């Protein structure tokens, strides 16, 4: 084996001096060289590759990927059994506190990711066992009677109803579904159902808590919960114990400034009986692991989200891994019979699995969209992209439906008109012009707003109706250049005065958490002129998640890192919904162009979606590129 060492050493030097590894990958490898001077160049190479893999969202470097890398580099494959024995100074599952890397399950992990994965696996195993026990304790007739009070009769399987039944009888459960399938409505009915069950069992109401990964996702969930409650007409006694306030995960856990630690942990658990976590596709494994540590032993957890959206930018694809077989059901015969008894119709036979897995018995997929009509172009395009149907994608681009607008190889004029009016022909009523008209309407005696907070709410709502989404940050159709171009167009139109950095109407997106100000990465605010202590000042208005507070005003000089937000990345748009979303694809190939990115952009649109595609071939390449991340959480279940 030592005869291979010179070739590994040569490749290591190539990586350390080349551009393929990031600076942090190289720094890590050099640190290991200093700390472990006798370590083989092979393991230093693999350590660097593991670091690079984590930057691409993988939990680990799987052995097959390590072998593929070595072969691409023209290197012979090692005898893994022999080489593993020499690397115990670097890797050892039995000594996690002492080793930076762990080799387990045929893969190389950073210790922290391996520890998180093991914790999550243990929680899922425990949750499956506890859920089976809970289900055995619940009376089917009693639960069905409560479900009948919340859902209308249906001739077919009502998946909102069945999702409620699954989650009501589970320690841990997942409700997944695409846009408009009623995830929020379902969870409101679930919370009402659980509180009704508690009352029926003569037990005190459950302490229910709602959370989301980002501030804007929390604001959106709060609004959706309030609307759903208003439409349900629950008994006042039950409605009073269904929460409407939503916290960010970081605030819920008690994030500490300049630290990855939280106030709430295993020693200081959260005070709750059930936690509902929305937009779970945005969760990475480290944050989810911290959340699990802070959950009381008997607390229930419900995850909501769209399994097909982009995963977290950090390592792991939590929701996608958990819901890998959600569309197939894969229910046991006992689960099939139990759900059929609680519903109005039997479940389709194809949802039963010959060899069922415990986790699948706690996952429900909502399968009917209530937001989009049968002839919706947004829904049709989202489905075609999600299924990788290139023929249908091309057909919809050639003949877009009424709620779709496709600009292939667009001109500067059509892009300018799209930005200003929402339509490439300049005849639309949306675009950025609408919210900027509101910006000019200061709060006066004759204005329709009671105060500046109400005015700011209207401005934020109007801005949120139209959004430009970019796949990349750099280049002609990247976030930075698009924002500069939009400012120039708005300036030329007389809609903004962008001669200085700060001006009324400037939208900003926070890119760094500031726990003191209550601002989180991804929060969007609008710079407005307001009265403050008798003076006219510029301040940035953010929607607040605090009870009794609609707007959080922050002076520009106090803001954490931020950027102009006429255009934002698709990743940053997660947790948001816009009446009209515009996706600007780049003109050059990029590794970030994937099916999940295009699908996520499309599903941000509620009423209108526009696709700007300078190179049509790149759209088809993106739809064909399905993301796969190493280290799926289901593998050990």
């Amino acid at each position: 084996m030592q005869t291979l060492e010179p070739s590994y050493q040569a490749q290591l030097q190539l990586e350390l001096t080349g551009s393929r590894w990031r600076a942090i990958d190289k720094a890590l490898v050099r640190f290991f060289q200093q700390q472990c001077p006798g370590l083989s160049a092979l393991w230093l190479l693999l350590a660097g590759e593991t670091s690079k893999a984590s930057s691409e969202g993988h939990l680990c470097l799987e052995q097959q990927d390590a072998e593929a890398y070595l072969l691409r580099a023209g290197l012979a494959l090692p005898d893994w059994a022999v080489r593993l024995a020499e690397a115990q100074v670097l890797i050892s599952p039995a000594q996690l506190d002492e080793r930076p890397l762990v080799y387990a399950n045929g893969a190389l992990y950073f210790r922290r990711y391996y520890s998180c994965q093991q914790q999550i696996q243990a929680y899922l195993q425990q949750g499956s066992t506890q859920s089976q026990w809970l289900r055995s304790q619940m009376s089917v007739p009693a639960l069905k009677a409560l479900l009948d009070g919340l859902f209308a009769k249906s001739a077919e399987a009502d998946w909102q109803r069945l999702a409620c039944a699954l989650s009501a009888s589970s320690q841990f459960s997942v409700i997944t579904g695409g846009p408009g399938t009623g995830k929020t409505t379902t969870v409101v009915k679930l919370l009402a159902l659980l509180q009704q069950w508690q009352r029926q069992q003569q037990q005190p109401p459950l302490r229910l808590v709602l959370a989301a990964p980002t501030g804007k996702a929390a604001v959106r969930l709060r609004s959706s919960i309030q609307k759903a409650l208003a439409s349900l007409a629950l008994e006042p006694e039950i409605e009073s114990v269904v929460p409407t306030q939503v916290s960010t995960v970081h605030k819920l856990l008690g994030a500490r400034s300049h630290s990855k630690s939280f106030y709430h942990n295993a020693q200081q658990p959260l005070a709750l009986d059930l936690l509902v976590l929305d937009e779970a596709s945005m969760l990475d494994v480290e944050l989810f692991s911290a959340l699990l540590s802070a959950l009381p032993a008997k607390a229930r957890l419900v995850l909501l989200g769209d399994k097909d959206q982009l995963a977290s930018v950090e390592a792991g694809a939590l929701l996608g891994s958990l819901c890998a077989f959600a569309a197939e059901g894969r229910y046991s015969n006992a689960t099939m019979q139990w759900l059929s008894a609680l519903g109005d119709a039997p479940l389709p036979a194809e949802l039963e699995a010959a060899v069922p897995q415990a986790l699948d018995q706690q996952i429900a997929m909502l399968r009917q969209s209530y937001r989009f009509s049968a002839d919706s172009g947004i829904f049709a395009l989202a489905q075609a992209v999600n299924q990788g149907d290139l023929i249908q994608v091309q057909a919809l681009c050639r003949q877009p439906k009424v709620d779709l607008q496709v600009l292939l190889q667009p001109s500067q004029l059509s892009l300018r008109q799209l930005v200003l009016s929402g339509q490439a022909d300049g005849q639309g009523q949306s675009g950025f012009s609408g919210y900027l008209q509101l910006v000019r309407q200061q709060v006066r005696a004759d204005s329709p707003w009671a105060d500046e907070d109400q005015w700011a709410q209207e401005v934020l709502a109007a801005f949120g109706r139209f959004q430009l989404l970019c796949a990349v940050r750099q280049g002609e159709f990247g976030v930075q250049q698009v924002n500069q171009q939009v400012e120039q167009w708005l300036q030329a139109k007389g809609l903004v005065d962008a001669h200085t950095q700060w001006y009324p109407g400037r939208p900003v997106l926070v890119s760094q958490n500031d726990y003191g100000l209550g601002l989180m990465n991804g929060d969007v605010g609008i710079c407005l002129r307001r009265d403050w202590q008798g003076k006219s000042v510029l301040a940035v208005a953010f929607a607040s998640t605090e009870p009794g507070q609609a707007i959080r005003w922050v002076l520009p000089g106090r803001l954490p890192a931020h950027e102009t937000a006429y255009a934002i990345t698709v990743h940053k748009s997660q947790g948001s919904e816009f009446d009209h979303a515009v996706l600007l694809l780049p003109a050059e190939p990029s590794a970030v162009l994937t099916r999940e990115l295009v699908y996520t952009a499309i599903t941000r649109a509620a009423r209108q979606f526009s696709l700007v595609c300078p190179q049509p071939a790149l759209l088809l390449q993106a739809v064909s590129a399905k993301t796969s991340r190493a280290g799926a959480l289901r593998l050990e279940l």
Side-chain angles (χ1 to χ4, degrees), residues 176-180 183 220 278-282 304-312 316-321 371 386 570-571 573-576 594-604 626-627 629:
T176 187
K183 295 185 289 293
R220 181 184 170 201
D278 195 21
E279 297 292 348
S281 62
M282 300 171 69
L304 293 181
D306 185 342
K307 66 181 179 64
D308 297 312
Q309 281 188 30
L310 280 167
S312 164
L318 180 71
L319 193 66
S321 294
R371 179 186 304 167
N386 200 22
V570 176
H571 270 100
S573 75
Q574 286 185 271
S576 301
T594 63
R595 180 182 306 177
E596 290 79 7
L597 181 135
V598 177
Y599 172 82
T600 300
I602 297 168
T603 55
R604 299 310 89 210
K626 186 169 176 59
T627 302
R629 289 190 171 183

Side-chain angles (χ1 to χ4, degrees), residues 507-571:
V508 294
L509 179 139
V510 173
S511 55
Q512 180 181 9
N513 295 339
D514 189 316
Y515 304 110
L517 291 175
L519 295 178
M520 303 299 293
N521 183 1
D523 286 351
V524 173
I526 307 289
C527 181
L528 298 172
R529 187 167 295 283
R530 66 172 305 215
D531 179 75
W532 184 68
Q533 296 181 352
K535 297 180 181 179
S536 178
V537 300
L538 289 176
V540 184
F542 294 89
S544 174
T545 58
E546 294 293 327
Q549 183 185 51
I551 295 294
R552 183 185 300 277
W553 293 94
V554 182
L555 295 175
R558 296 193 64 200
L559 284 178
H562 58 275
E563 58 192 41
T564 303
Y566 295 111
I568 62 177
T569 63
V570 176
H571 270 100

Side-chain angles (χ1 to χ4, degrees), residues 132-196:
Q132 293 173 17
W133 180 84
L134 275 174
R135 200 161 294 174
S136 69
Q137 301 301 302
M138 300 188 82
S139 163
V140 170
L143 186 56
K144 186 176 190 303
L146 293 178
L147 288 166
D148 288 342
L150 292 167
F151 294 92
K153 280 282 200 180
S154 174
E156 299 179 346
D158 182 342
W159 280 101
Q160 290 189 8
R161 178 187 180 114
L162 298 177
C164 275
L166 274 174
S167 290
S169 60
S170 298
Q171 182 87 359
F172 166 75
S173 60
V174 181
I175 300 175
T176 187
T181 52
K183 295 185 289 293
T184 303
T185 300
T186 302
V187 83
V188 170
K189 290 184 177 182
L190 168 65
L191 300 181
L193 173 70
L194 288 169
Q195 297 294 36
Q196 289 172 340

Side-chain angles (χ1 to χ4, degrees), residues 363-404:
I363 296 174
M365 178 175 165
L366 306 182
R367 298 161 190 264
Q368 179 181 351
S369 178
Y370 299 91
R371 179 186 304 167
F372 301 110
S373 62
D375 62 347
S376 165
I378 296 175
F379 184 68
L381 185 60
Q383 276 197 316
V385 168
N386 200 22
Q387 295 166 4
D389 188 341
L390 300 183
I391 294 176
Q392 178 68 354
V393 169
Q394 290 176 295
L396 288 166
C397 287
R398 285 194 300 267
Q399 294 183 308
K401 300 188 179 184
V402 66
D403 56 352
L404 274 183

Side-chain angles (χ1 to χ4, degrees), residues 587-617:
E588 302 293 334
S590 170
V592 305
L593 287 179
T594 63
R595 180 182 306 177
E596 290 79 7
L597 181 135
V598 177
Y599 172 82
T600 300
I602 297 168
T603 55
R604 299 310 89 210
R607 298 182 182 178
Q608 181 82 23
F609 177 72
S610 296
L611 175 64
V612 176
C613 189
Q615 295 294 336

Side-chain angles (χ1 to χ4, degrees), residues 249-257 259-271 290 293-295 515:
V249 177
H250 285 83
K251 181 179 179 182
L252 178 68
L253 292 175
R256 302 179 189 275
S257 297
S259 171
K260 283 194 172 186
S261 66
F262 298 95
Y263 173 78
H264 288 290
N265 49 42
Q267 289 70 45
Q268 299 280 349
L270 295 161
S293 295
L295 282 181
Y515 304 110

